[in-house]
Amino acid sequence: MMARRLQFALIAAACAHAATPARGTVEYVRTIPSVKEFTKSHSVFTKVFDWLVGPADGKPEVLRPYATTRDSAGRLFVADPGQHGVHVYDFEKHKYQFLKGPRGKTMDSPIDLACDASDNLYVTDSVRARIYVFDTKGKFRRTIEGGFLRPTGMALDRRAQRIYVADTLRHQVIMLTFDGKELGTIGRRGAAQGEFNFPTALTLASGKLYVVDAMNFRIQSFTIDGRFVSSFGQLGNQSGTLSRPKGIAADSDGNIYVVYAMFET
């Protein structure tokens, strides 16, 4: 069976050069090959060795990619709940790594990823109801357990050293320090302003926290301290409505991008 491939596109930034795409355009960059192809050595010695004894095995292929992030070195991290771990692609050094979790307590359902200012990686595990933290070498450092029921989306405020976690089954966003101390919660179950019905993804932009309020079919924004600011979106299948919003991100201009399903034209 042919291994699945991941495809990623980058939004081109504005530049003075006339040949550069205008701000807001989307330009295809590359297709990431299978792990086997990515880690394939091109040296003559390795080719001869593989021909004699066969290639090394044991590297899991991408099965069900769910979320991505990158660190300051440009490494790409892919959460894969299907493989119960995180794929790490280092394009500069052409190296691959797979993070399983702490010894004896491997990840079950890694959902979201984020890096802090030191490039430590934070991973939410929705089934094990915790956050795993790894250093830049992929070594497990600690577990954050905040009384979660189903932690899913996550956003890091690097300046304030604060973690925001969407707990989908608690219908809240939980605020934590990087050490895991709970600072407070945002919202409760409901449909009023500032309330949630299965929140999922989060992003920070222009000093605001944006929350995908999935089953209220809207996006809500809050101050970084958790005060409600505004919301947009409603159920529908027309342009501007949100049927099953899934993911969210923001660009450097503060524009918000929402991924949603069940849209029909």
Side-chain angles (χ1 to χ4, degrees):
M1 182 176 181
M2 185 177 294
R4 297 187 182 184
R5 294 170 180 261
L6 301 181
Q7 294 186 352
F8 300 92
L10 298 181
I11 298 176
C15 185
H17 197 284
T20 302
R23 184 183 296 274
T25 61
V26 177
E27 189 178 46
Y28 171 79
V29 176
R30 76 173 82 190
T31 297
I32 299 179
S34 68
V35 172
K36 182 178 180 180
E37 292 171 324
F38 184 82
T39 57
K40 184 178 181 180
S41 175
H42 299 287
S43 70
V44 174
F45 173 80
T46 303
K47 288 181 179 179
V48 172
F49 184 82
D50 288 347
W51 181 76
L52 290 173
V53 303
D57 203 356
K59 295 183 176 67
E61 291 293 348
V62 177
L63 183 62
R64 188 158 60 92
Y66 199 91
T68 64
T69 194
R70 61 185 295 274
D71 64 11
S72 63
R75 295 186 303 167
L76 176 69
F77 301 87
V78 182
D80 187 347
Q83 291 287 16
H84 311 290
V86 176
H87 306 272
V88 184
Y89 294 87
D90 189 329
F91 297 102
E92 183 176 343
K93 297 180 180 179
H94 203 77
K95 291 185 176 181
Y96 168 85
Q97 189 177 12
F98 185 72
L99 307 181
K100 298 180 180 180
R103 183 174 297 179
K105 296 181 180 179
T106 57
M107 286 182 271
D108 196 325
S109 180
I111 293 296
D112 206 4
L113 310 162
C115 291
D116 64 19
S118 299
D119 283 339
N120 296 305
L121 178 69
Y122 295 70
V123 185
T124 58
D125 189 322
S126 64
V127 172
R128 295 195 181 277
R130 61 196 63 185
I131 299 172
Y132 294 115
V133 184
F134 302 84
D135 65 16
T136 56
K137 295 182 179 180
K139 183 178 180 181
F140 170 76
R141 285 302 183 188
R142 64 184 184 275
T143 298
I144 297 175
E145 299 183 36
F148 305 120
L149 292 181
R150 186 60 66 91
T152 51
M154 176 173 50
L156 300 189
D157 186 333
R158 297 178 178 179
R159 181 176 299 178
Q161 296 195 350
R162 182 177 294 182
I163 308 172
Y164 298 90
V165 183
D167 193 323
T168 303
L169 293 186
R170 280 180 58 173
H171 307 282
Q172 291 181 318
V173 174
I174 301 172
M175 299 182 289
L176 308 160
T177 65
F178 279 4
D179 293 330
K181 179 182 178 181
E182 185 172 319
L183 298 172
T185 60
I186 303 173
R188 61 182 181 180
R189 189 168 195 181
Q193 293 180 343
E195 297 179 340
F196 302 115
N197 192 16
F198 297 99
T200 53
L202 309 174
T203 194
L204 288 164
S206 303
K208 296 179 183 177
L209 175 70
Y210 290 84
V211 183
V212 175
D213 189 4
M215 297 310 293
N216 280 328
F217 311 102
R218 65 186 178 186
I219 308 299
Q220 297 198 68
S221 66
F222 299 83
T223 66
I224 58 173
D225 293 322
R227 289 182 288 108
F228 173 79
V229 176
S230 63
S231 68
F232 64 88
Q234 60 182 357
L235 178 62
N237 60 3
Q238 303 177 37
S239 179
T241 58
L242 298 177
S243 293
R244 302 289 178 86
K246 298 289 186 180
I248 190 168
D251 63 19
S252 58
D253 291 330
N255 297 311
I256 305 299
Y257 299 81
V258 181
V259 177
Y260 54 95
M262 302 294 289
F263 180 76
E264 298 179 2
T265 58

